[in-house]
Amino acid sequence: MQDNYAVMADQARQLFLSYDQENIISRFGLKADDDHIYFSFLGRAMAIERSSGAVIDARSLARQGFNISLTVYDMFCHSLDSAVMPEISGEWQSLSSMGVHGAGKLSSGMLTDSELAAFSGKTEALKKACEDLGGIEKPGGGDVSYLLPLFDFMYVWLKFYDADDEFLPSVTIMWDRNILAFMHYETLYYAFGEILSVLKKLCGL
């Protein structure tokens, strides 16, 4: 049986190829040549192969996995059904506060206790990891609080509270109030998963 994630990624790739790439380039202000569309994802130079639709690392040319690919395709295609480009509000909200039923905060509830415990005592390492991604420190969000560039034009707000005598560490991602005009709700889980995966690697976890 073919891997369901691979099937979903291939379907999204083929859907991307059905869209007007020049419209995507213009709408998001992207750089492009005859072969690639260029963008940045979590501080890394990325590209989409215009002929195949594959999402690749712009330097190594390595094809990217499910979380990155689905996030990229959705970001650049979801809003195309609207005649007007959605606006980035600059206001931060959890999905639950946007009225998404059962959304929670796409935060610590997605991680196992052991995964959360691994972040305990790692505040300095996590700060450095955020800065390595091009993050901007934002006061008022816990022991570690950074705006992270999911894309050059779209930041997310990561808040980390370290463990104390009663509670495990907690990790929360806050989103622009208008994020659902840019990406489907389900896609935010893929984006969150990739953010945490990258941060864990940078922290040596």
Side-chain angles (χ1 to χ4, degrees):
M1 182 180 297
Q2 190 172 5
D3 182 87
N4 287 337
Y5 289 106
V7 171
M8 288 177 62
D10 191 59
Q11 290 174 340
R13 179 186 62 81
Q14 294 182 50
L15 181 61
F16 171 83
L17 289 172
S18 72
Y19 285 100
D20 181 348
Q21 294 182 18
E22 294 302 327
N23 184 24
I24 293 172
I25 293 165
S26 174
R27 175 173 281 223
F28 287 92
L30 304 176
K31 294 181 179 180
D33 54 31
D34 291 341
D35 299 318
H36 297 94
I37 299 172
Y38 300 97
F39 60 96
S40 178
F41 183 85
L42 288 177
R44 293 169 55 196
M46 297 282 187
I48 301 174
E49 292 180 346
R50 300 188 68 168
S51 59
S52 70
V55 179
I56 64 172
D57 184 292
R59 294 189 174 88
S60 70
L61 305 184
R63 289 202 176 200
Q64 299 304 290
F66 179 86
N67 283 347
I68 294 177
S69 296
L70 268 290
T71 302
V72 168
Y73 294 139
D74 205 29
M75 172 58 76
F76 291 142
C77 297
H78 178 55
S79 69
L80 296 180
D81 292 334
S82 172
V84 179
M85 178 72 166
E87 294 184 357
I88 296 173
S89 71
E91 299 175 15
W92 303 101
Q93 294 186 8
S94 66
L95 289 191
S96 57
S97 67
M98 297 179 207
V100 178
H101 179 67
K105 291 186 177 180
L106 279 183
S107 58
S108 298
M110 293 182 63
L111 304 175
T112 66
D113 287 350
S114 61
E115 286 174 322
L116 283 171
F119 281 100
S120 183
K122 300 288 186 179
T123 57
E124 293 306 314
L126 189 53
K127 286 179 180 179
K128 184 179 185 305
C130 290
E131 291 170 2
D132 287 346
L133 294 180
I136 302 168
E137 192 166 15
K138 181 176 175 60
D143 298 302
V144 179
S145 178
Y146 277 81
L147 299 181
L148 300 179
L150 187 64
F151 294 87
D152 284 341
F153 52 86
M154 179 66 73
Y155 280 70
V156 298
W157 183 6
L158 178 133
K159 301 180 181 182
F160 171 75
Y161 294 84
D162 206 353
D164 59 25
D165 293 338
E166 298 183 23
F167 298 101
L168 286 169
S170 67
V171 178
T172 300
I173 294 288
M174 302 292 284
W175 309 85
D176 187 89
R177 179 171 55 84
N178 293 337
I179 189 62
L180 295 181
F182 289 90
M183 291 194 291
H184 290 86
Y185 161 63
E186 293 83 1
T187 307
L188 302 187
Y189 281 92
Y190 310 145
F192 181 92
E194 188 60 28
I195 292 166
L196 266 293
S197 176
V198 169
L199 290 173
K200 286 169 67 177
K201 289 178 182 177
L202 290 173
C203 290
L205 301 177

